[in-house]
Amino acid sequence: MTVKGTRKLSFATLTIPAVLIYTSVIIFPIIFNIGLSFTKWSGLGTPQWVWFDQYRRILGDPVFWHGLRNNLLIVAVSVFGQIPLGFILAYIIYRRMVTAGRFFEVMIFLPITIAPVVVAILWNQIFSPAGIVTELVRIIRNDPRYVFKIFENKQLAILPILFVIIWMYTGLYMVIYIANLQKINPELLESATIDGASEGQILVRVIIPLMVHIIFTTTIFAVTGSLKSFDLIWAFTQGGPAHYTEVIAIYMYLNTFRYYNYGLGGAISMVIILLSIIIILLTLFVYKHFEKKYE
Amino acid sequence: MDAIGGVKHRSSLWLLPACMIMLFFSFLTLAPLVWLLYSSFKPHQAIIRNVFSLPETIHFMNYVTAWERGNLGLYFVNSITYTSTATAITTFLALAAGYGLAKFRYRVTGIIYAFFIMGLLITPHSVLVPLFVLETSLNIDDTRIGVIIPYVAFGLPFLIYLATSYIRGLPDELEQAALCDGAGYLQIFWRIIIPLCAPVTSTMIIFAFISNWNEFVFVFVLTSKVVLRSLPVGINSFAGGLTRDYGLQFAALVIGTLPMIIFYIFFHDQIARGFAAGAIKG
């Protein structure tokens, strides 16, 4: 065989196993799913072709819209909660405003290693009517009959979950920002200080422009990560009570595996994919806009 | 930390709020975990009576009962099997693909790479329904292999990203020299690339290990047999169905958390680096 031929063959041997597994588990199912989403099928018998019926059904279902609202709230706390908080924490450690910054870094990053299922059950105990929050408010208000009942409120039931999402993932963004802040040339900061720039000016004029890129990259990760939230909420509330804390992934799970409507489940999966694409494109659009402004 | 970024501070205006924010966040992180740990040694009645109190005696029975009733021994073994098999396969395949994508410049190389990077943005839930249907029709639902394959597939994009960017930075000269000595590309991969990749390999292994250990949804959806459950799925059954005994629940949570916390204490630096690497080059 020719040298070029061996080279090509080696390239194929190296990459094909990974491509094969990736394609058969991720790409092929997505394509298969497009077909599935146009059918009505209970898992047994022949699927019935129903065109856009399942999509129409989703759009007419208030449970879906409440789930979408909860998903968007999760996107919002990720982008406007975790990212700024993570940045503030990283900045404090990077600028050595506290001693033992390293210790704090290790502590705050810790929750990321704990399984979402464990985190959910732990916090469910804290927010449950017999949990820590109830007990704390009783002590503070001196009212032994107080019971924390936020999960009974349709609009507010998602709040404890949003809080836990911030608790769990802020450390991740902090670590990412610390790693990137440390790449900034220290001379830049020194010369800014010599020129008499204040702490605030250094942050706004020197550091943030250098970090715009990474902030937007993490924003994209935060957005796609937000649509992944299933385990945490499932172990927390299973989407209940009465769908109050449901997100689209749970809506999909229940319709497919509890009510055996595979076509509908397929259609919801398509909606999840479309939503991630739309939100990522929006983020990219905003990024391009900002990039121009900073150049 | 080294000197980078450390700038002497003139005003204490920033220091007090900074310190308070840090203390607040660390407290918020640690307090629930500490509470969980000591509560796991209290019997159910003692938790109901006073959620805050420290255990009067060390009630170790919670652990014994939770371990037995929750089948946690079996789930532990399953989790170790899934996690280590999937981690080993994913890491090896990602190194191989990473070498191919980094050093072989064909027209298709860039396309394949972009194809994998796209996978970073795909959530497992968007393929769950079709994956379940396909696995059922292939009769590999409810098998270990049916669980491990999705673990590997969803681990690949990020590990390939890590491996490719690392191998791209390796000098071409070593490869050229080996070629002159008559070595084939696969030998080069095995004898030169893999040893040179040791630093990134450890990051890859640690990252894959954590995500596979905490993975929930594939076992939850793709298996129904109790003997195939992993630890997170087993612990989830403590969330309501299995028992209302808080002591048992807390003990199960500690059992699920402790291995990762110990792992974290030993490998904090690599873990942080692995997660940070995900966004460094963007």
Side-chain angles (χ1 to χ4, degrees):
Chain A
M1 211 190 291
T2 59
V3 179
K4 267 192 178 171
T6 6
R7 195 171 148 82
K8 268 192 186 148
L9 190 68
S10 314
F11 175 71
T13 323
L14 288 166
T15 46
I16 281 177
V19 172
L20 217 58
I21 290 189
Y22 176 74
T23 313
S24 52
V25 176
I26 301 180
I27 305 302
F28 180 66
I30 290 181
I31 296 165
F32 175 82
N33 192 47
I34 299 175
L36 187 67
S37 72
F38 291 119
T39 66
K40 187 170 189 280
W41 189 43
S42 66
L44 296 167
T46 327
Q48 200 188 325
W49 196 263
V50 294
W51 288 109
F52 286 94
D53 275 12
Q54 305 288 17
Y55 291 94
R56 239 172 262 139
R57 191 172 153 187
I58 295 171
L59 297 181
D61 188 351
V63 175
F64 166 76
W65 292 104
H66 192 73
L68 178 64
R69 167 227 186 228
N70 283 342
N71 260 123
L72 292 178
L73 284 175
I74 294 174
V75 172
V77 295
S78 307
V79 174
F80 302 109
Q82 289 166 3
I83 288 183
L85 282 173
F87 189 85
I88 291 169
L89 295 173
Y91 190 73
I92 291 172
I93 292 175
Y94 166 68
R95 297 287 284 163
R96 295 215 233 142
M97 293 178 181
V98 288
T99 47
R102 178 106 184 102
F103 168 80
F104 288 121
E105 187 192 331
V106 172
M107 284 302 123
I108 295 172
F109 186 59
L110 177 70
I112 203 76
T113 54
I114 303 173
V117 172
V118 171
V119 170
I121 301 175
L122 169 61
W123 281 94
N124 187 25
Q125 284 293 356
I126 293 173
F127 287 121
S128 81
I132 281 202
V133 175
T134 297
E135 209 53 45
L136 272 179
V137 178
R138 281 181 185 175
I139 293 168
I140 294 167
R141 285 209 201 151
N142 203 10
D143 171 7
R145 275 173 309 176
Y146 175 85
V147 176
F148 186 66
K149 285 190 290 197
I150 200 167
F151 286 114
E152 289 173 19
N153 183 316
K154 185 177 181 181
Q155 303 307 323
L156 303 180
I158 194 75
L159 282 182
I161 292 173
L162 298 179
F163 174 83
V164 174
I165 287 173
I166 291 187
W167 180 83
M168 192 163 174
Y169 295 107
T170 299
L172 173 63
Y173 295 97
M174 176 191 75
V175 164
I176 293 173
Y177 295 137
I178 291 176
N180 283 278
L181 282 166
Q182 284 171 343
K183 290 184 169 173
I184 294 177
N185 185 351
E187 284 168 22
L188 277 177
L189 302 186
E190 271 162 39
S191 57
T193 320
I194 292 166
D195 293 346
S198 70
E199 189 65 43
Q201 285 171 323
I202 292 178
L203 173 64
V204 176
R205 300 263 172 80
V206 182
I207 292 177
I208 293 206
L210 289 170
M211 296 291 287
V212 166
H213 179 70
I214 193 68
I215 288 172
F216 275 93
T217 311
T218 47
T219 307
I220 291 184
F221 278 102
V223 168
T224 50
S226 310
L227 295 168
K228 287 184 191 175
S229 42
F230 175 86
D231 327 8
L232 185 86
I233 300 174
W234 184 258
F236 213 128
T237 60
Q238 298 208 353
H243 304 293
Y244 290 174
T245 57
E246 204 161 294
V247 288
I248 306 176
I250 289 181
Y251 180 65
M252 178 218 58
Y253 176 82
L254 289 176
N255 278 300
T256 319
F257 299 105
R258 194 160 284 175
Y259 311 132
Y260 299 104
N261 195 338
Y262 288 86
L264 183 60
I268 303 167
S269 308
M270 288 310 298
V271 172
I272 297 178
I273 295 175
L274 289 177
L275 271 176
S276 2
I277 295 174
I278 292 171
I279 301 178
I280 290 166
L281 288 179
L282 268 177
T283 318
L284 280 176
F285 176 78
V286 176
Y287 175 48
K288 288 279 173 257
H289 183 78
F290 264 84
E291 208 181 21
K292 260 184 226 141
K293 208 173 128 190
Y294 270 103
E295 261 166 11
Chain B
M1 246 193 344
D2 48 337
I4 297 171
V7 175
K8 282 143 249 124
H9 291 283
R10 305 140 300 265
S11 70
S12 56
L13 190 71
W14 294 77
L15 299 185
L16 188 66
C19 211
M20 282 170 61
I21 291 173
M22 274 299 163
L23 286 174
F24 176 72
F25 260 84
S26 304
F27 175 78
L28 212 57
T29 310
L30 274 191
L33 298 172
V34 171
W35 175 71
L36 168 68
L37 185 65
Y38 75 68
S39 299
S40 70
F41 292 107
K42 287 160 67 175
H44 181 66
Q45 290 75 15
I47 299 175
I48 298 289
R49 215 178 308 128
N50 186 343
V51 283
F52 293 117
S53 70
L54 289 165
E56 286 151 23
T57 53
I58 300 291
H59 187 74
F60 200 72
M61 270 315 281
N62 284 342
Y63 283 86
V64 179
T65 319
W67 183 268
E68 278 170 5
R69 215 193 289 174
N71 255 334
L72 296 184
L74 172 69
Y75 302 156
F76 216 97
V77 173
N78 285 343
S79 267
I80 289 175
T81 315
Y82 298 143
T83 304
S84 44
T85 320
T87 302
I89 298 175
T90 320
T91 308
F92 184 76
L93 291 183
L95 281 171
Y99 174 45
L101 297 174
K103 295 288 185 192
F104 294 71
R105 290 183 195 91
Y106 297 115
R107 208 174 299 151
V108 60
T109 313
I111 301 169
I112 298 177
Y113 185 64
F115 188 60
F116 278 118
I117 293 304
M118 212 175 65
L120 288 174
L121 306 175
I122 293 172
T123 81
H125 313 102
S126 49
V127 303
L128 218 48
V129 180
L131 195 63
F132 176 78
V133 175
L134 291 169
E135 286 211 354
T136 318
S137 59
L138 293 171
N139 279 323
I140 56 163
D141 64 314
D142 248 338
T143 62
R144 284 174 210 281
I145 207 79
V147 170
I148 290 172
I149 293 175
Y151 275 41
V152 171
F154 276 94
L156 279 173
F158 185 57
L159 293 206
I160 285 183
Y161 164 74
L162 286 180
T164 310
S165 23
Y166 189 84
I167 297 171
R168 262 188 204 142
L170 296 177
D172 287 339
E173 286 75 23
L174 290 164
E175 199 185 354
Q176 297 302 336
L179 280 174
C180 291
D181 291 346
Y185 289 100
L186 299 183
Q187 281 172 308
I188 293 177
F189 170 62
W190 190 250
R191 301 237 180 93
I192 299 175
I193 301 293
I194 289 190
L196 284 176
C197 280
V200 76
T201 308
S202 68
T203 306
M204 288 162 70
I205 290 176
I206 288 168
F207 185 86
F209 196 88
I210 296 179
S211 29
N212 291 334
W213 183 265
N214 292 338
E215 172 54 52
F216 172 77
V217 80
F218 292 125
V219 174
F220 185 62
V221 169
L222 301 174
T223 70
S224 55
K225 288 187 196 141
V226 172
V227 290
L228 293 176
R229 280 187 188 161
S230 64
L231 204 50
V233 177
I235 287 174
N236 182 51
S237 55
F238 280 89
L242 193 65
T243 170
R244 280 278 90 188
D245 186 314
Y246 291 164
L248 291 188
Q249 236 181 51
F250 289 159
L253 294 186
V254 174
I255 293 171
T257 317
L258 216 53
M260 271 302 124
I261 292 190
I262 293 169
F263 190 69
Y264 178 72
I265 292 168
F266 281 105
F267 295 108
H268 166 263
D269 280 346
Q270 285 99 320
I271 293 172
R273 208 184 308 140
F275 278 94
I280 277 181
K281 287 189 175 169

